Amino acid sequence: MLTQSGRLEDALRAHEEQEEWLKQQAPDDDVCRNLISAQTHQIDCLTELGRIRKAEGKLREAFEVLARWPKPEPDAEPRLLAQKAEVAWRLGDHDQAISTLRTAINKANHLPPDATGTFHFSLAQKLWYEHQDISAKAELALIEASVSLDHFPELHSRVLDLKAHILFEAHDPAAMECALESYELDRQRGDVVGIVLSLLLLADLYITQEKYDIAVERINEATELAFRNGMVAHLGRLAIRRARILRSTGNEPAARQQFSKAFLLGRRLEDADLMREAADWM
């Protein structure tokens, strides 16, 4: 709940404390299960906080626990593989990320559809980013055919968000409807990470429509949430959108300053995607 509400630092500390206590216990089945849980939650927090190398290190520790877990849960390895893929993606190794996700999906074929749906979504998102739109749409169609999304609002919101991105690139006005529905689902759940992602997309849509005042409002809302919750990498992505507005309204020096700020932040965080997005606009 702390992670969902955006209290990432609090959640990270809580799971670190839990991990330290568990490491003092005899490594039986329950201890390994709870230790993996504490570590995977830390990986999620570290990834959202932009601390990718620390997330990478925690992943190595989690795989070591998995190797000595007497009777691992069937979803343990696929979930760790999906997290490994996300870390690889953030570090710029996109081919490795996609390959690792496919492995996670193959190992998860015995899990409930909503569990495998999260892996298929992550794969769809990355295929779309790599301009493999047909494959991305096929993954989304598989999710919609196998999961009752109304019962899984987090996954539903993410699917809507990606559909909005795809429609946006196709210049389809239905993108706005999907983006707003995704935002509303996140808002209802109090999912701060989801809200920030939705606001980033809404800002993109309003910038394209040259509705700069509304775009700035969405950027300001997201910036407040990201700053308050330590979502540093997203602050860089928001700076890129501010820069785009500044460029579009004729303030090129200020725009370049914001692009440079985002790029340097990506370099500091070793977030290859943030660096690349900033560089594409510089």
Side-chain angles (χ1 to χ4, degrees):
M1 288 301 292
L2 288 174
T3 306
Q4 179 181 312
S5 67
R7 294 166 58 190
L8 297 172
E9 291 285 4
D10 291 343
L12 179 60
R13 282 192 294 271
H15 291 300
E16 285 173 341
E17 290 171 5
Q18 183 185 26
E19 179 186 16
E20 287 306 309
W21 183 84
L22 288 164
K23 283 180 175 178
Q24 308 306 313
Q25 313 307 309
D28 61 16
D29 199 58
D30 284 340
V31 167
C32 287
R33 180 185 300 105
N34 291 321
L35 188 53
I36 286 273
S37 176
Q39 290 170 328
T40 54
H41 279 96
Q42 288 176 64
I43 294 162
D44 285 340
C45 292
L46 290 165
T47 302
E48 290 300 337
L49 290 166
R51 302 170 194 170
I52 308 303
R53 289 296 181 185
K54 288 187 176 181
E56 186 181 36
K58 189 57 62 178
L59 258 172
R60 284 194 292 269
E61 293 179 32
F63 274 108
E64 289 170 4
V65 174
L66 180 65
R68 62 176 186 267
W69 187 352
K71 297 178 181 179
E73 297 288 344
D75 67 339
E77 186 180 11
R79 290 188 187 281
L80 283 178
L81 286 168
Q83 289 185 312
K84 182 179 179 181
E86 186 62 32
V87 168
W89 184 269
R90 298 289 185 101
L91 292 172
D93 194 344
H94 291 187
D95 289 343
Q96 181 61 46
I98 289 171
S99 174
T100 302
L101 270 172
R102 293 193 189 280
T103 302
I105 289 168
N106 289 335
K107 289 179 176 289
N109 58 13
H110 55 287
L111 297 179
D114 60 290
T116 58
T118 62
F119 306 144
H120 283 287
F121 167 74
S122 187
L123 178 59
Q125 188 180 47
K126 289 162 178 56
L127 290 169
W128 165 76
Y129 193 91
E130 291 294 300
H131 307 291
Q132 299 179 41
D133 287 8
I134 293 175
S135 296
K137 289 176 182 178
E139 295 294 328
L140 290 180
L142 190 153
I143 296 168
E144 292 178 316
S146 60
V147 181
S148 298
L149 288 173
D150 287 344
H151 297 114
F152 300 98
E154 181 177 2
L155 180 57
H156 191 186
S157 172
R158 298 299 186 265
V159 167
L160 285 167
D161 183 85
L162 183 52
K163 288 176 74 172
H165 276 95
I166 293 170
L167 291 166
F168 174 43
E169 286 198 342
H171 307 289
D172 189 325
M176 181 64 77
E177 182 180 348
C178 285
L180 288 170
E181 188 177 352
S182 174
Y183 169 75
E184 184 60 22
L185 281 171
D186 291 327
R187 191 190 63 78
Q188 289 174 1
R189 295 174 53 252
D191 183 348
V192 173
V193 174
I195 291 170
V196 170
L197 292 172
S198 293
L199 290 169
L200 280 164
L201 174 56
L202 286 168
D204 285 337
L205 290 167
Y206 288 124
I207 290 169
T208 301
Q209 295 175 353
E210 299 184 4
K211 296 179 179 179
Y212 300 127
D213 289 345
I214 303 176
V216 168
E217 289 175 5
R218 299 291 82 80
I219 291 168
N220 288 342
E221 183 182 350
T223 299
E224 181 181 352
L225 288 170
F227 183 80
R228 190 165 69 229
N229 295 290
M231 298 160 68
V232 181
H234 290 315
L235 290 173
R237 294 180 177 91
L238 289 161
I240 290 170
R241 283 147 181 85
R242 288 189 189 280
R244 289 168 57 197
I245 294 171
L246 288 165
R247 173 172 287 170
S248 296
T249 54
N251 194 341
E252 183 63 24
R256 287 187 173 277
Q257 186 178 42
Q258 290 291 314
F259 286 134
S260 179
K261 174 182 174 182
F263 182 84
L264 292 173
L265 178 60
R267 177 183 289 172
R268 178 167 67 83
L269 296 173
E270 296 187 77
D271 189 324
D273 277 344
L274 178 55
M275 285 192 289
R276 184 161 76 172
E277 184 179 359
D280 284 346
W281 287 98
M282 289 173 73

